[in-house]
Structures are given as C-alpha cells and as structure tokens.
Amino acid sequence: MNNEKLIKEDLAHIWHPCSQMKDYETLPLIPIKKGRGVYIEDYDGNIYIDAISSWWVNLFGHTNPYIAKKIKKQVDRLEHIIFAGFSHKPIIKLSKRLINLMPKNINKCFYADNGSSAVEVALKMSFHYYKNQGKKRLHFVSLTNSYHGETLGAMSVSDVGLYKEPYKEMMMTPIHTPVPYQISKKSAIAKAGELEKIFQQNPDNICALIVEPLVQCAGSMNMYHPLYLKLAYKLCKKYDIHFIADEIAVGFGRTGTMFAFEQAKITPDFICLSKGITGGFLPLAVVLTTDEIYGKFYCDYSEGKSFLHSHSYTGNPIACAAANATLDIFEKNNVIKKNLKKIKYIKNSVKKFQNLSNVKEVRQTGMITAIELKGYEPQTRIGLNVYQYALKNGVLLRPLGNIIYFMPPYVIKKNEIDKMINVAYEAIKSI
Amino acid sequence: MNNEKLIKEDLAHIWHPCSQMKDYETLPLIPIKKGRGVYIEDYDGNIYIDAISSWWVNLFGHTNPYIAKKIKKQVDRLEHIIFAGFSHKPIIKLSKRLINLMPKNINKCFYADNGSSAVEVALKMSFHYYKNQGKKRLHFVSLTNSYHGETLGAMSVSDVGLYKEPYKEMMMTPIHTPVPYQISKKSAIAKAGELEKIFQQNPDNICALIVEPLVQCAGSMNMYHPLYLKLAYKLCKKYDIHFIADEIAVGFGRTGTMFAFEQAKITPDFICLSKGITGGFLPLAVVLTTDEIYGKFYCDYSEGKSFLHSHSYTGNPIACAAANATLDIFEKNNVIKKNLKKIKYIKNSVKKFQNLSNVKEVRQTGMITAIELKGYEPQTRIGLNVYQYALKNGVLLRPLGNIIYFMPPYVIKKNEIDKMINVAYEAIKSI
C-alpha cells in the first residue's frame, strides 16, 4: 500500500471538506498511516511535523498514550447512553472540572458534538431566554471578519465571505460591528465605541454579541487586545445583552491562558468549547452558562419553556473519557505554566521573519503565531507555494491565504519548533 | 457511589438535552455504570433492556466486543488527522463500502459529525448546486410532521412544533407538503398529488424535497407506504428538483432493508446517514451523493464554486474504525436477513396490544414498532407513566407523547423481546 494507490481510491469516492477537489490534481492528497507526538507519517514513509495541530484540535500529540489508555478503558465499560433522562460518570466528572476552571457564575454545561452545534446552542439559548420572558429580540451582533462555523445558524453570525457568500439567502442577517485589526488599546477603545452605537441604535432588540476572544483564527489569524473584550463586555452588561465567547479554537491554552476571555477578566454569559477539549481525539462540544440563564428555562413542563435541543450522541462517554484525560494532563503537567517558556522561545525565534521583504507583520498571542505576507494578489494563492515547500521539507503548515501560521501541539520540543520555523522561513524566502 | 450521589452531582452542573430540567425532580435521572448487549446497569445495580437503542443509535449491543476491539486498535495507530488535504485508510475503506451498498449513481461521500450537520450539508449542497449554474432557487419542501435536526438549517425544514416553534423567527421558512398518515397506497397517491401542486406552483424555485423515508421517527413514529417515496421521487425528476433522503434514523436496517429508500427502488440525489453508522459508539455522519452533483462543484478554484463546508473532526479515524467494524458485522452475520425472523416474531407478539381499550393503533415497519394510545389529553403526559412503569420493571422505553415504541438493538434475543413487549403491555394496561 502506498500513497498513490490510496489517493486513487480516496478520490474515487470522497469529497473532502473545505476543498476545491480539482486542486488535488496538482496538490496531491496525503494519506496518513500513523501519528505519534507532533509527527504524522504517510504511506510512502514521509514524516511531517503537524504544525497546525490537525485543524487546531491536537494538544498533547497524536495517539497520546495516556488519552488512548483512558479511551480504551471507557470503550469496554460504557460506549454510549442516551443523555436525556440518563447520565454517566465521565460526564459528571468532566462537567465539575470544567465548571471549576470557570469564573464563579458559570455553573451549567450543555453538550453537543461539534463547534458549529455549540454555537447554534448558544444562539438558540440566548434567543429563547428572552422569549421565555415575553421579549422578542431578533438580532445578534458579531464582529467583522468572524468565523463561527458551518451550519446555517453558526454561519449566519460569521463574516468570512469565502465560506458564507453562496448561502446568504438561507440565513439570518446579523449586525456586524468592526473588529480591532491590531493588538492595541487605542484600536480597542475606538472599536468599542462603534459597538456602543449599534447597541444604542437597536434598543431591546439584540440577543447577544458573539466574539472569538483575542484571535479570529479562520479570519486570517487577526489578533486584538484584551481591552476590547473588557469594553465590549461592559457594554453588553450596560445594555442588557448576552456576551457569547466562542472559544472553540482559542480555548484550552492556545492564547497562553486556559481560556482567552480570562485575559479580560470577564464572565461571559455563554462559553462555547470544542476542538481541544478531547485533546484532538474525538468530536465533543459544550456550552457553559450561568444559573441565571438556566433558571429562565426551569419551570413546569406545561409552561412550554424547555430547551429541547439534542443530538443523538450528546455527551458521548468515550469522548468524555478523552476530555477527562486531557484535563488530567493539563493538571499533572502544569501545562499552561510550562507553555510560557515555549511561547517566549517561539517569540524570539520568529523575530527574523520581520527582516524578509515579503513579510508584512509577525503577530503572536500565546501559542498562536501568524506571519502575514505582502505583495501578492489573492489569485496567486501564494500560501499554496509555502504549503508545498513545507510538506516537501517535513512540516504540515496550512496557510490561510497569505497568512502562514503556527499552532502546534503543546508537546512540541525546542528542536521541533526550530525545524517548523526554519522550514517556514525558507519557504517564505523561496517564493 | 450510588445513583443518589451521582444524580446530585449531575444536576449541580449539567443541563440535559431534550429535557425540562424540572422534570428530574419527579422523574429521577439514571446514572449508568456499564452496558453489555441490550442491557445497561445503573449505580444502584438495576438492570434495564435498552429498547430504544439509546436514541436509535445502538445496533449490535452496548460495548460490542468486536467494535470495541477495532476502536482500540485505531486509537493507537492514528486518532485523528485534518481531513482537508489529508486522508486515512479507515475512511477510504468505509467510503468504498458505503458506496457499494448504494444504487449505482451514488458515488461520493461527504462527511460530518452529527445528523443535523449532515442535513445542513445536503441543504447547502443542493442550494449551491443550482447557484453554481447561475440559478437562484430559494425554497425547500419537506413533509408535515417531519424532523431533521436541531441546528437552524436542519430545523428549518422540520415541522415538529415542539422543537421548532420558539425559534421560528431565526430560520428559513420551508414549504410543507402533507405526509401520508397511514401505510396505504391510496394515501400515498393522494399525498403525491398534493406535492405535485406545490411543485407546479413554484416553478424553478425549489432546490429539494427532503424526506425521512418510510418512518418519521421523532414525528410520532408515523409510517407510510413506499409508494409515496416512489411517486414523490418521480415528481422530483419530472420537475428537476433534488430528492434528499434523510436516513439518519431509519438507515442501517431499521426498516427491514439496509436503507429505507431501497423499498421504493429509487436513487435519491442525497442520502444522509448517521446514528447507527458507528454501531452506536461514536458520532459520525455522511452525505452520499452523485457524480453529477459533485461535478458541478469541480472546477478551477478561481471560479469560486467550491463547497467549503468543514468540521474540525470531519472523518475522524476512530469513528470510521467503528463504522467499518459495524459493516463487518452486517456482512459476517447476514444481519438484514436474520432480522426478518425477529421482525416477524415482534409482529406476532404485538398483536395482543390491539385488544387493549386504550390502544388506537399498532404499526410496524421492520425493526420499528409503535403503539399509539388513545383517550388521553396531551397535558396528562401519559407516556411518562409508561416510562416509569417500564423502568421499574427493567425496560428502557422512551415514549413520544402517547406513542410507545420499540427500536431495540438487533442483538436482542427472543426472551428479551418477550420481556420488552410484556412490560410495555402491562404498563399500558396499568395506566
């Protein structure tokens, strides 16, 4: 079995996500045989450093033995049980641990399977919360350049045209408020001013503001100052509007703190988590919220105020076992603190990119680092050249247009960081 | 550790799906410790037959050793890999096998994580297919009493008011066509006539008709004749409208054939699968479609016609390993054929319900059997009495209003069928 044979079999029957399938004629698919730590290996024996954590999900390495062990144990005990009317220990344990990581008013967990579904839960809950009190609020506010998922509700509050444009007639129309385009307090203050205008113009008609705290990942890895979160949150409280923190991509340590919103010292009304929650092993998502919100749905059934959302595999025990194992590793290995050194090391290592004539900006928030190129028209798809160069040299990067970024698993070692960065550097120099 | 202690810990932090949380004050949650075959066991040592396959997902028993073995093997090899640009053997194998089970024009698989997301993929693909050819079609047609999921797009084409009503301002408005409310050819013909009127009234403005073939599960287990599918499909072809078969609940043998649409000898343009696909172990979903549809998205990237939908865990290798193991069991054990005997046995066993004065109808399609009660107002929530009686007697039923139904794992044995049916019979007699 080699790459070529598997690629042929793949293309016969598979339509890949987020892909123009014709691209695979010139940029061959890579069938992966196995993974270990930061490395993945294909069927031709090529080995790559997974510098993007397989779409930002992997935290502690591929086939992490500890997480694998816990999954295997759970599979033999209870693989799944309906989560309406029933429960199980892994999810009870997980919920308690997640709540312990949250500000004190966050006290309830509602589960789903993927990030899009979590965003849908938060939007529906916010909308329904007002309705349960006899208030009909029709709008959501989200940031320009935002990305919140692919299902129509989640996509409706997004603003990345590439994903959204074809479907615009199928969706709600959100109100977009300008996001700060730099990590600066001045910009944060200016953009919060714009947000307040929107709140003033739509009294009692906005359910929630939804944001990706600190880093808009799919949105060109745009980064902004925590002060914006602080100010936006204050405005939400002032105008009685929910604050939804979509931490699907940035949660679990990516921005340097366990959750990005912590850096603004705020308590969002809803926090959406997924991706890293299982260490990158299995799909699982959760929306955390307050007892106050929960309370507005808690009543006699006959009042018709129940939140009846469900997915068949909600709270899957195997995925919960992986999530508990992931939290074990965070605790035992003091991961957040240990990452600080790696963050600093990466910071120093990427300075040299500034000297390249085709680099516009190098930006970093915690374990996420982005290098923005300049001087290329979008249609040249310059990122693909970097992608190919890096693959040939043993590193999986997946640029977003002209943004090259690193979001590696936290188990990456110094020499692996060096390789990842040097290959990207040479790639950018070569184009 | 006992039920009481775990229930308390659960309720402190968990908001359960499809639940009025206040109900748990009188109908206690049941924390499950382990599962084996059709049985689940709680922390007080009570054992229950899972007569609803944990929300219609389990096929071959809890912690089925063969599926468990295959998962454990995969966990150590490759737990996950980004599915854009990359691939892996379990999904290549699975896709080929799924395609082999389909009519000959179905040739492509697009993956997602849950049923709602699969429906969203089918809707977006259908809409986008027309748009890629310069046609703007704005409507979807779905059946009255339908259920297609919880995310806003999937929910928009649903018609079960209980789940949908609170959110109606957030969604597209579909066109509903009346579903046949009985398994009769006459009704099928009449309702197909209604459908044709809708198609005639909306020329070139309907993307697709979406149906749950043969059984509307969440919609009170309403069953209808395959002739309706045949006629509706013919109309779709006549008026150039896509036919989407939502087989999330009815696929993988539930209706007696591997897929329900087979009984109408049709080739839907889109087939959505989830639930049973992993044997009830892990979330996974897939949308199968034709090369013709795939072809309308296949072009140079610059044309802007790509289907860029994605979920982080799309095509998760562990879930695919479970799905391959599930298909192994279907093949090795000749499951569809062997189920015929069970279907017949259940059919004979449920005849006695007809004699109960509070039974309106007994209906069955394959491995799905429903008993509709009569003489109870909805607000009495009579199903809950049956639910409680059955739990006390070792059977997990989860009535839909006044519909008591059986959808057991296929490994259920004769004596277990007897127990399941007898407990339900006594429960109905007792209310």
Side-chain angles (χ1 to χ4, degrees):
Chain A
M1 196 58 70
N2 59 19
N3 282 12
E4 195 188 341
K5 189 169 170 344
L6 282 166
I7 290 169
K8 206 178 150 190
E9 288 185 23
D10 176 300
L11 293 175
H13 300 307
I14 299 177
W15 189 343
H16 284 261
C18 205
S19 300
Q20 168 49 255
M21 293 301 296
K22 192 165 190 283
D23 280 349
Y24 295 126
E25 291 180 11
T26 45
L27 285 165
L29 274 167
I30 300 177
I32 296 297
K33 188 175 179 178
K34 57 186 180 183
R36 196 66 165 184
V38 297
Y39 297 102
I40 49 175
E41 182 180 337
D42 70 19
Y43 279 83
D44 286 349
N46 302 304
I47 294 171
Y48 313 87
I49 292 178
D50 184 354
I52 60 159
S53 300
S54 275
W55 256 344
W56 325 337
V57 300
N58 192 290
L59 298 184
F60 302 121
H62 288 281
T63 64
N64 178 288
Y66 181 77
I67 301 173
K69 187 179 82 182
K70 294 292 183 174
I71 285 177
K72 287 186 264 182
K73 208 174 151 191
Q74 187 60 41
V75 166
D76 284 336
R77 193 172 178 84
L78 180 68
E79 84 302 340
H80 188 69
I81 182 72
I82 179 173
F83 200 52
F86 291 77
S87 191
H88 53 87
K89 219 168 163 180
I91 205 163
I92 294 170
K93 190 176 169 191
L94 175 63
S95 304
K96 193 175 178 179
R97 298 174 84 178
L98 289 172
I99 293 301
N100 282 341
L101 292 169
M102 292 287 156
K104 76 169 167 31
N105 285 340
I106 301 294
N107 206 24
K108 288 289 183 291
C109 302
F110 190 99
Y111 289 86
D113 307 316
N114 57 24
S116 294
S117 302
V119 169
E120 300 261 348
V121 166
L123 298 177
K124 286 172 69 181
M125 266 189 190
S126 175
F127 186 87
H128 203 163
Y129 165 93
Y130 293 108
K131 214 166 200 184
N132 276 350
Q133 298 169 81
K135 301 173 191 170
K136 195 188 273 185
R137 294 193 177 192
L138 295 175
H139 297 298
F140 289 92
V141 178
S142 63
L143 304 186
T144 51
N145 189 49
S146 58
Y147 177 87
H148 296 288
E150 294 290 335
T151 53
L152 290 176
M155 186 175 259
S156 75
V157 289
S158 303
D159 183 42
V160 177
L162 180 65
Y163 304 113
K164 182 178 181 176
E165 180 60 24
Y167 315 104
K168 63 179 194 285
E169 297 87 352
M170 301 174 83
M171 294 180 285
M172 288 190 291
T173 308
I175 301 169
H176 290 307
T177 185
V179 69
Y181 266 106
Q182 46 188 309
I183 310 178
S184 97
K185 288 191 180 181
K186 197 179 154 193
S187 176
I189 293 164
K191 297 301 159 43
E194 302 284 324
L195 178 62
E196 181 153 25
K197 280 184 215 158
I198 289 170
F199 285 179
Q200 284 168 341
Q201 285 158 8
N202 296 276
D204 301 323
N205 204 7
I206 295 170
C207 296
L209 168 71
I210 181 167
V211 305
E212 298 153 279
L214 301 188
V215 187
Q216 295 184 305
C217 294
S220 304
M221 296 290 164
N222 178 43
M223 299 176 185
Y224 59 87
H225 197 281
L227 179 61
Y228 180 73
L229 293 178
K230 211 180 185 77
L231 296 173
Y233 178 75
K234 259 192 185 169
L235 290 170
C236 283
K237 295 301 107 182
K238 180 175 171 188
Y239 291 91
D240 183 28
I241 287 164
H242 289 146
F243 186 100
I244 304 173
D246 173 352
E247 294 246 356
I248 292 161
V250 297
F252 297 102
R254 293 285 182 198
T255 68
T257 46
M258 192 64 169
F259 301 107
F261 71 80
E262 292 172 20
Q263 297 183 39
K265 298 187 176 61
I266 58 173
T267 302
D269 300 288
F270 299 96
I271 298 144
C272 303
L273 303 175
S274 187
K275 288 194 185 272
I277 192 169
T278 59
F281 274 68
L282 288 166
L284 180 69
V286 62
V287 178
L288 297 117
T289 189
T290 64
D291 277 332
E292 196 270 322
I293 287 166
Y294 175 84
K296 292 291 185 293
F297 293 80
Y298 195 95
C299 60
D300 287 334
Y301 183 81
S302 58
E303 289 188 44
K305 293 178 177 176
S306 316
F307 190 70
L308 296 179
H309 190 105
S310 68
H311 299 287
S312 317
Y313 285 96
T314 299
N316 176 257
I318 306 174
C320 289
N324 276 312
T326 301
L327 292 183
D328 287 347
I329 297 174
F330 269 109
E331 287 171 16
K332 284 182 193 163
N333 298 359
N334 209 353
V335 172
I336 297 297
K337 197 176 163 199
K338 280 194 184 151
N339 275 356
L340 294 177
K341 269 192 193 166
K342 285 181 187 170
I343 292 166
K344 204 172 164 189
Y345 186 76
I346 293 170
K347 189 175 181 149
N348 284 324
S349 304
V350 295
K351 277 181 186 159
K352 61 182 173 185
F353 286 86
Q354 296 283 17
N355 304 324
L356 292 172
S357 61
N358 53 350
V359 167
K360 184 180 166 191
E361 189 186 58
V362 178
R363 49 184 180 264
Q364 186 183 9
T365 297
M367 290 293 287
I368 308 173
T369 310
I371 294 141
E372 183 167 349
L373 305 182
K374 66 181 172 189
Y376 303 99
E377 293 299 315
Q379 62 270 27
T380 63
R381 303 177 77 194
I382 194 68
L384 292 183
N385 297 37
V386 174
Y387 178 69
Q388 280 178 295
Y389 181 99
L391 283 175
K392 271 183 199 140
N393 290 278
V395 180
L396 161 53
L397 299 171
R398 188 177 152 90
L400 292 155
N402 63 342
I403 312 289
I404 319 303
Y405 70 88
F406 309 117
M407 205 190 291
Y410 304 157
V411 291
I412 194 166
K413 297 191 188 87
K414 268 192 185 179
N415 64 316
E416 294 158 348
I417 292 175
D418 291 345
K419 174 159 186 184
M420 169 180 88
I421 287 174
N422 289 338
V423 165
Y425 186 81
E426 293 302 323
I428 294 171
K429 245 177 63 177
S430 78
I431 53 176
Chain B
M1 194 61 69
N2 61 16
N3 282 13
E4 196 187 341
K5 189 170 169 348
L6 281 167
I7 291 168
K8 206 177 150 191
E9 288 185 23
D10 176 299
L11 293 176
H13 300 306
I14 298 177
W15 190 342
H16 284 261
C18 205
S19 299
Q20 169 49 255
M21 292 302 296
K22 193 166 190 283
D23 280 348
Y24 295 126
E25 291 179 10
T26 46
L27 285 164
L29 275 167
I30 301 177
I32 295 298
K33 188 175 179 179
K34 58 187 179 183
R36 196 65 163 187
V38 297
Y39 297 102
I40 48 175
E41 182 180 337
D42 70 19
Y43 280 83
D44 285 351
N46 301 305
I47 293 170
Y48 313 89
I49 292 178
D50 183 355
I52 59 158
S53 300
S54 275
W55 256 344
W56 325 337
V57 301
N58 193 290
L59 298 183
F60 301 122
H62 287 281
T63 64
N64 177 288
Y66 181 76
I67 302 173
K69 186 178 82 180
K70 294 293 183 173
I71 286 177
K72 288 186 262 182
K73 208 173 152 193
Q74 187 61 40
V75 166
D76 283 336
R77 193 174 178 84
L78 180 68
E79 84 301 339
H80 188 68
I81 182 71
I82 178 172
F83 200 52
F86 291 77
S87 190
H88 53 86
K89 218 165 160 182
I91 204 163
I92 294 171
K93 191 176 168 190
L94 175 62
S95 304
K96 193 175 177 178
R97 297 174 84 177
L98 289 171
I99 293 301
N100 282 342
L101 291 169
M102 292 287 156
K104 77 168 167 27
N105 285 341
I106 301 294
N107 206 26
K108 288 288 183 292
C109 301
F110 191 99
Y111 289 86
D113 307 317
N114 58 24
S116 294
S117 301
V119 169
E120 300 260 348
V121 165
L123 298 177
K124 285 172 71 181
M125 264 189 191
S126 174
F127 186 87
H128 202 163
Y129 165 93
Y130 294 108
K131 215 166 199 184
N132 276 351
Q133 298 169 80
K135 300 173 189 170
K136 195 187 273 183
R137 295 194 176 192
L138 294 175
H139 298 299
F140 290 91
V141 179
S142 64
L143 305 186
T144 51
N145 189 50
S146 58
Y147 177 86
H148 296 288
E150 295 289 335
T151 53
L152 290 175
M155 184 176 260
S156 75
V157 289
S158 302
D159 183 43
V160 177
L162 180 66
Y163 305 112
K164 182 177 182 176
E165 181 60 23
Y167 314 104
K168 63 178 194 285
E169 298 88 352
M170 301 174 83
M171 294 182 286
M172 288 190 291
T173 309
I175 301 169
H176 290 307
T177 186
V179 70
Y181 265 105
Q182 45 187 309
I183 309 179
S184 97
K185 287 192 181 181
K186 197 179 154 194
S187 176
I189 293 165
K191 296 302 160 39
E194 301 285 322
L195 178 62
E196 182 154 26
K197 279 184 215 157
I198 290 171
F199 285 178
Q200 285 168 339
Q201 285 157 9
N202 296 274
D204 301 323
N205 204 8
I206 295 169
C207 296
L209 168 72
I210 180 166
V211 305
E212 297 154 279
L214 301 187
V215 187
Q216 294 185 306
C217 296
S220 303
M221 295 291 163
N222 177 45
M223 298 175 187
Y224 60 87
H225 197 281
L227 180 62
Y228 180 74
L229 292 178
K230 212 181 184 77
L231 297 173
Y233 179 74
K234 257 194 187 169
L235 291 171
C236 283
K237 295 302 108 183
K238 180 175 171 189
Y239 291 92
D240 183 28
I241 286 165
H242 288 145
F243 185 101
I244 304 174
D246 174 351
E247 294 246 355
I248 292 161
V250 295
F252 296 102
R254 292 286 182 200
T255 68
T257 45
M258 191 63 169
F259 301 106
F261 71 81
E262 293 172 20
Q263 296 183 39
K265 298 188 177 61
I266 59 173
T267 303
D269 299 289
F270 299 96
I271 298 144
C272 303
L273 303 176
S274 188
K275 287 193 186 274
I277 192 170
T278 60
F281 274 68
L282 288 167
L284 180 70
V286 62
V287 178
L288 298 116
T289 189
T290 64
D291 277 332
E292 195 269 322
I293 287 166
Y294 175 83
K296 292 291 186 291
F297 294 80
Y298 196 95
C299 61
D300 287 334
Y301 183 81
S302 58
E303 288 189 44
K305 294 179 176 176
S306 315
F307 190 70
L308 296 179
H309 190 106
S310 68
H311 299 286
S312 316
Y313 285 95
T314 299
N316 176 257
I318 306 174
C320 289
N324 276 312
T326 300
L327 292 183
D328 288 346
I329 297 173
F330 268 109
E331 288 171 16
K332 284 182 195 166
N333 298 359
N334 209 352
V335 172
I336 297 297
K337 198 176 162 198
K338 281 195 184 150
N339 275 355
L340 293 176
K341 269 193 191 165
K342 286 182 186 168
I343 291 166
K344 204 172 164 189
Y345 186 76
I346 292 170
K347 190 174 179 152
N348 285 324
S349 304
V350 295
K351 277 182 186 158
K352 61 182 173 187
F353 285 88
Q354 295 283 19
N355 305 324
L356 292 172
S357 62
N358 52 350
V359 168
K360 184 179 166 192
E361 188 186 59
V362 178
R363 50 183 179 264
Q364 186 183 9
T365 298
M367 291 293 287
I368 309 172
T369 311
I371 294 140
E372 183 166 348
L373 305 182
K374 66 181 173 189
Y376 303 99
E377 293 299 316
Q379 62 269 27
T380 63
R381 302 177 79 194
I382 194 68
L384 291 183
N385 298 34
V386 175
Y387 178 69
Q388 280 178 295
Y389 181 99
L391 282 175
K392 271 182 199 140
N393 290 279
V395 180
L396 161 52
L397 299 171
R398 187 177 153 89
L400 292 156
N402 64 342
I403 313 290
I404 319 302
Y405 71 88
F406 308 117
M407 206 191 291
Y410 305 156
V411 292
I412 194 166
K413 296 190 189 87
K414 269 192 184 179
N415 64 318
E416 294 158 347
I417 292 174
D418 291 344
K419 174 159 187 185
M420 170 180 88
I421 287 174
N422 290 337
V423 166
Y425 185 81
E426 291 303 323
I428 293 171
K429 244 176 61 176
S430 77
I431 53 178

